[in-house]
Amino acid sequence: MNKKLFIKTFGCAMNMRDSEHIITELQIKENYSITENAKEADLIIINTCSVREKPERKLFSEIGIYSNIKKQNAKIGICGCTASALGEKIIKKAPSVDFVLGARNVSKISKVISIPKAVEVATNYDESNYEFCISKDSSFRALINISIGCDKKCSYCIVPHTRGKEISIPLDMILKEAEFRAKNGAKEIILLGQNVNNYGARFSNHHRKVNFTNLLQEVSKIDGIQRIKFVSPHPLHMDDEFIEEFAYNKKISKYIHMPLQSGSNNVLKDMKRGYSKEWFLNRVEKIKKLVPNVGIGSDIIVAFPTESEDDFKDTLDVVKEVGFDTLYSFIYSPRENTSAFNLEEIPRDVALSRLETLQNLHREILKSKAKKEINNTHRVMIENVIDSIEGRSDNGRLIKIEGSKEVSLGEIYDVVITKNENGSLFGKIA
Ligand code: SAH
Ligand code: SF4
Ligand code: F3S
C-alpha cells in the first residue's frame, strides 16, 4: 500500500538537500509518496535548524500542532540540527515523537522509521562515502553535497556541534551524481558545504590531492550543466587560484556569497573568524577587478556580545564600501555548546536598533543599484513559472519577467531591465 509522507524543512540549503535524500530514500525503498497535507500523512517529518534560538524554541509548538492533527497511527520524526543538538531530550519533552535522526545520519532514515523511539544523532558518523538514492525527478536544479560538517570554531556557531567534523566527499562520487543529474535535466548545479572552498582538506579514506578549484574545473566539463553555484565559501579560503577560476570559468555563476559576519577586527577576532577586515576587502577588490559586474552577498551578525558602537560603525563602513547585492542580517543569538555562550548579551533594544540601521542602509544601497540597471541586458535562468515568471541573472539578481511569452524552467533568456520598484527589478525577454 502506498504510504504518505509530509515533510517540513527549515534552515539552510544543506537541510533542503537532506530532505531531498529522505524523500527519495522513502519513495524508492519504502513506497512513500509526498503529501502537502499533514492530516493525511502516515509519516510527518520536521527537518530542523538550530542556528538561532527562535527556530529551536518553535520546534516544540510545531510538534504540538502536528500531534493534534495527525492520523491516529501516523508517526512523527524529528531530523536535522536540532535533532543533533537535543537528541533524546526531544522525546522526553514531546513523547508523541517516534524517532530523532540527527543531521549527519540521514542515510539511516529507512532504518529508524521501524524502530520505536529510535535516536540516531552521532556527529562522528561518516556519511561521506554513502551513495544516496539519487532522485530521478527531473529538476532544472541539482543540490549536491561536496562536504559534510565543519572544522571551524566560530565562537557563536552551533553547526560544528550539530554536524561534526568536516569530511569531503570523494571527487568521483560528486561527479557521478552531477553527471546523473545533468542527464536527467539539471541545468544548474549548486555545490553544498559549510566551507565549500576548503574542499579536499580531509577525506575519510585515501584520496588523491584535490582542492575546490580542481572540483569546479571537473564539474564544469559535464555536458548540459549551464550554471554552477556554490554555498557557502569562507572568505579565509578565497585564495588567488580560486578567485581566478571563479572569474574565468564561464559556467560559474558570477555571484559569490562572502559571509562577513562583522566589519570590526576586534569582533572578527572574538568571533574566531580567522580573517581581518583588510583581508576581506582585499578579496572583494580582487574579485571586483576580475569580474566588474559581480554580485556579492553576505551574512552579518549584529550585537555580538563584545560589539561596541564603534565596532558596529566599522561593519556599516564595510557594507558601504562593498555595496553587497544581497545581505542576510541577524541579531546574535547565544547557543549552548559554543564558546561565546556565556558572554553577557547586549541589551535587546540596542541590538534591534543596530539591526534596523544596518537593514535601512542596505535597502538604500539596493535602491541606488537598481536604478542603474534600467536598460541593462542580463542572461536570466528561469526559476519560477508558477505564480509569476521569475529568474536570476548570472550575477544573482532576481528579475521578475513581464509579458506573456512561453518560458520553461531552467531555460536561459536575454532579458532587458525595464523597471525598478523599490529595489526589485522587472524585465522583458529581448
Ligand atoms: N558556514 C557558513 C554559515 C552557516 S550558518 C559560514 O561560515 O558562512 C548561516 C549564518 O547564520 C551565518 O553566516 C551567521 O551569519 C548566522 N549565524 C550563525 N550562528 C549564529 C548565531 N549564534 N546568532 C546569529 N546568527 C548566527
Ligand atoms: Fe559555523 Fe563558522 Fe563553520 Fe560557518 S565556518 S558553519 S559560521 S563554525
Ligand atoms: Fe541550520 Fe544546521 Fe543549516 S543549524 S543553518 S540547518 S547547518
Side-chain angles (χ1 to χ4, degrees):
M1 199 193 68
N2 190 289
K3 292 165 283 183
K4 291 209 155 55
L5 164 68
F6 173 87
I7 184 163
K8 191 158 180 190
T9 307
F10 294 92
C12 62
M14 295 199 112
N15 256 17
M16 279 164 63
R17 164 74 172 155
D18 288 346
S19 287
E20 277 184 16
H21 280 323
I22 291 171
I23 293 167
T24 311
E25 294 249 350
L26 292 180
Q27 278 173 339
I28 294 175
K29 295 186 183 165
E30 306 293 332
N31 202 24
Y32 275 90
S33 63
I34 282 283
T35 173
E36 303 289 324
N37 179 0
K39 288 182 187 160
E40 63 166 28
D42 302 284
L43 173 59
I44 293 173
I45 288 181
I46 311 177
N47 196 6
T48 59
C49 170
S50 58
V51 83
R52 281 167 289 277
E53 193 199 356
K54 208 167 150 204
E56 195 175 294
R57 223 180 328 120
K58 263 176 63 189
L59 172 64
F60 289 97
S61 55
E62 291 260 330
I63 295 174
I65 293 169
Y66 291 123
S67 307
N68 285 335
I69 61 167
K70 76 179 180 77
K71 286 201 305 198
Q72 205 183 4
N73 290 321
K75 287 183 177 165
I76 298 183
I78 307 303
C79 302
C81 284
T82 311
S84 311
L86 300 184
E88 62 181 5
K89 284 189 203 144
I90 296 178
I91 297 186
K92 286 217 176 94
K93 193 162 165 189
S96 60
V97 169
D98 291 283
F99 65 85
V100 178
L101 183 69
R104 207 181 166 118
N105 297 260
V106 175
S107 59
K108 299 178 190 162
I109 183 67
S110 298
K111 188 175 120 189
V112 295
I113 52 171
S114 54
I115 304 175
K117 306 292 172 192
V119 177
E120 292 281 348
V121 292
T123 51
N124 58 0
Y125 185 66
D126 180 11
E127 282 195 320
S128 70
N129 285 290
Y130 180 83
E131 288 215 27
F132 290 96
C133 294
I134 303 179
S135 171
K136 291 189 179 61
D137 294 348
S138 61
S139 164
F140 78 95
R141 172 184 289 150
L143 303 175
I144 299 187
N145 270 351
I146 66 164
S147 57
I148 57 177
C150 175
D151 273 358
K152 301 273 186 290
K153 290 192 173 59
C154 302
S155 61
Y156 52 82
C157 181
I158 198 167
V159 174
H161 179 70
T162 61
R163 291 197 180 250
K165 275 204 165 317
E166 185 174 319
I167 300 181
S168 298
I169 292 171
L171 180 65
D172 288 348
M173 279 177 70
I174 299 171
L175 295 178
K176 195 170 138 198
E177 187 169 342
E179 275 158 15
F180 180 90
R181 295 298 297 269
K183 277 203 190 89
N184 281 277
K187 305 250 184 336
E188 176 174 282
I189 296 264
I190 308 184
L191 304 171
L192 300 178
Q194 289 300 348
N195 285 290
V196 277
N197 50 345
N198 196 34
Y199 178 75
R202 184 195 297 119
F203 292 95
S204 46
N205 295 315
H206 177 76
H207 195 287
R208 73 184 163 88
K209 210 170 156 18
V210 57
N211 64 19
F212 188 58
T213 306
N214 307 138
L215 171 65
L216 287 172
Q217 289 161 342
E218 293 299 321
V219 173
S220 62
K221 287 181 195 154
I222 299 173
D223 282 343
I225 304 296
Q226 302 192 20
R227 249 181 213 178
I228 301 168
K229 298 182 179 175
F230 46 84
V231 68
S232 295
H234 195 293
L236 183 64
H237 304 296
M238 294 190 179
D239 56 19
D240 287 354
E241 186 200 30
F242 160 73
I243 292 178
E244 281 157 25
E245 186 64 30
F246 170 77
Y248 301 133
N249 186 327
K250 293 211 159 37
K251 284 196 181 178
I252 298 179
S253 158
K254 298 298 176 263
Y255 171 83
I256 189 160
H257 189 67
M258 294 184 71
L260 171 68
Q261 312 301 359
S262 167
S264 147
N265 279 338
N266 297 331
V267 177
L268 284 172
K269 204 157 161 244
D270 294 342
M271 288 178 162
K272 300 201 171 64
R273 287 293 286 175
Y275 54 84
S276 63
K277 153 181 139 179
E278 289 74 22
W279 167 260
F280 187 92
L281 289 172
N282 170 281
R283 298 295 83 190
V284 169
E285 193 187 326
K286 169 130 187 146
I287 293 173
K288 283 186 173 171
K289 196 167 147 214
L290 299 189
V291 190
N293 203 21
V294 67
I296 303 183
S298 201
D299 291 349
I300 288 178
I301 297 175
V302 301
F304 183 79
T306 60
E307 184 184 77
S308 66
E309 266 316 309
D310 281 349
D311 292 322
F312 177 61
K313 286 203 182 85
D314 285 349
T315 298
L316 297 178
D317 287 344
V318 175
V319 171
K320 273 183 223 150
E321 187 166 340
V322 179
F324 294 112
D325 299 274
T326 306
L327 183 63
Y328 301 98
S329 45
F330 316 98
I331 292 178
Y332 167 74
S333 167
R335 309 306 295 121
E336 234 173 299
N337 295 302
T338 62
S339 61
F341 182 59
N342 288 322
L343 298 178
E344 198 184 325
E345 273 181 79
I346 285 183
R348 188 78 188 161
D349 55 334
V350 176
L352 279 166
S353 128
R354 287 186 191 166
L355 185 69
E356 199 185 330
T357 306
L358 174 64
Q359 291 181 341
N360 286 342
L361 167 67
H362 188 243
R363 215 166 290 126
E364 291 311 312
I365 291 174
L366 282 191
K367 274 192 206 157
S368 83
K369 283 193 163 216
K371 273 187 205 144
K372 295 180 196 142
E373 285 285 347
I374 305 295
N375 292 329
N376 280 355
T377 302
H378 285 283
R379 305 272 296 151
V380 173
M381 183 180 276
I382 305 297
E383 296 191 352
N384 181 9
V385 290
I386 298 174
D387 17 283
S388 62
I389 300 177
E390 288 174 348
R392 258 177 218 278
S393 64
D394 193 40
N395 61 0
R397 305 297 300 268
L398 185 69
I399 297 168
K400 292 186 197 305
I401 295 171
E402 298 185 309
S404 58
K405 198 165 167 169
E406 287 280 306
V407 291
S408 23
L409 278 178
E411 292 303 319
I412 295 182
Y413 299 89
D414 281 335
V415 171
V416 183
I417 305 299
T418 50
K419 200 168 67 176
N420 144 37
E421 273 178 17
N422 289 324
S424 299
L425 295 180
F426 293 77
K428 282 202 165 70
I429 292 179

